[in-house]
Amino acid sequence: MWQKYFLVLFLTHLLFVHQVAGLSEKQLQATVKMVRNTCQSKTKATSDDIEKMHVGDWNIKHDTMCYMQCALNMHKLMNKENTFDYDSGMNQLKLLPDSFRQYTLECMNQCKDAAVTVNDKCIAAYEIAKCFYFCNPEKYFLP
């Protein structure tokens, strides 16, 4: 429970402190790590499955799909319909390091309708994250 409280405080701090300038790449990495740790413990996704996604192998277990749902939800990138929350993504775009903004905007536009299995929030998140990965694997930064 304290992890969620700390995460909310940390993310709130980042939002207020970096509203104009955005996060540095180091701060983005720290945020990604914190979300990964929180969502991995919550969903019991394996490190192997998480690492597989980062090298383009998306043959993962449902637990890891739920891990992606947790991560996207923590970043406020999924809505109640289990689709990509484009408006929230646009609002958060300014928080990213400059080097990630153009890539993220392009991938948001490409992947905004990637979730087609909306009756399962975990599969929907998997579809969104997979689309983001294949949009530009070198810049993929989801946890």
Side-chain angles (χ1 to χ4, degrees):
M1 185 66 164
W2 64 271
Q3 288 176 329
K4 286 184 182 181
Y5 177 73
F6 177 74
L7 178 65
V8 169
L9 285 177
F10 178 75
L11 292 175
T12 302
H13 166 74
L14 291 177
L15 289 173
F16 287 113
V17 172
H18 300 284
Q19 279 185 359
V20 177
L23 300 172
S24 69
E25 288 189 28
K26 186 175 181 179
Q27 290 167 323
L28 177 62
Q29 289 172 352
T31 302
V32 166
K33 183 178 180 180
M34 187 180 316
V35 169
R36 179 177 178 159
N37 290 340
T38 300
C39 291
Q40 187 172 8
S41 66
K42 181 178 179 182
T43 63
K44 307 300 181 208
T46 66
S47 294
D48 287 343
D49 261 6
I50 294 169
E51 291 307 317
K52 283 171 48 175
M53 291 185 296
H54 287 271
V55 295
D57 181 355
W58 288 80
N59 184 23
I60 58 174
K61 297 177 188 126
H62 194 265
D63 288 347
T64 309
M65 294 178 191
C66 292
Y67 161 85
M68 286 310 309
Q69 188 277 331
C70 175
L72 291 176
N73 192 47
M74 287 186 78
H75 287 296
K76 306 288 186 219
L77 295 175
M78 284 189 76
N79 58 34
K80 292 177 184 174
E81 292 78 31
N82 296 329
T83 60
F84 182 71
D85 192 331
Y86 187 83
D87 291 337
S88 180
M90 288 300 291
N91 288 335
Q92 295 179 55
L93 194 61
K94 64 183 174 239
L95 300 175
L96 292 175
D98 290 338
S99 60
F100 285 85
R101 287 186 192 152
Q102 186 60 37
Y103 146 77
T104 303
L105 179 60
E106 290 169 8
C107 292
M108 282 175 40
N109 287 326
Q110 181 177 318
C111 300
K112 65 184 176 188
D113 298 317
V116 294
T117 313
V118 296
N119 62 330
D120 184 321
K121 63 185 178 182
C122 298
I123 295 174
Y126 164 86
E127 293 167 339
I128 295 166
K130 183 177 178 182
C131 183
F132 266 81
Y133 177 85
F134 285 107
C135 175
N136 188 334
E138 292 79 32
K139 292 276 190 174
Y140 181 78
F141 64 90
L142 293 175

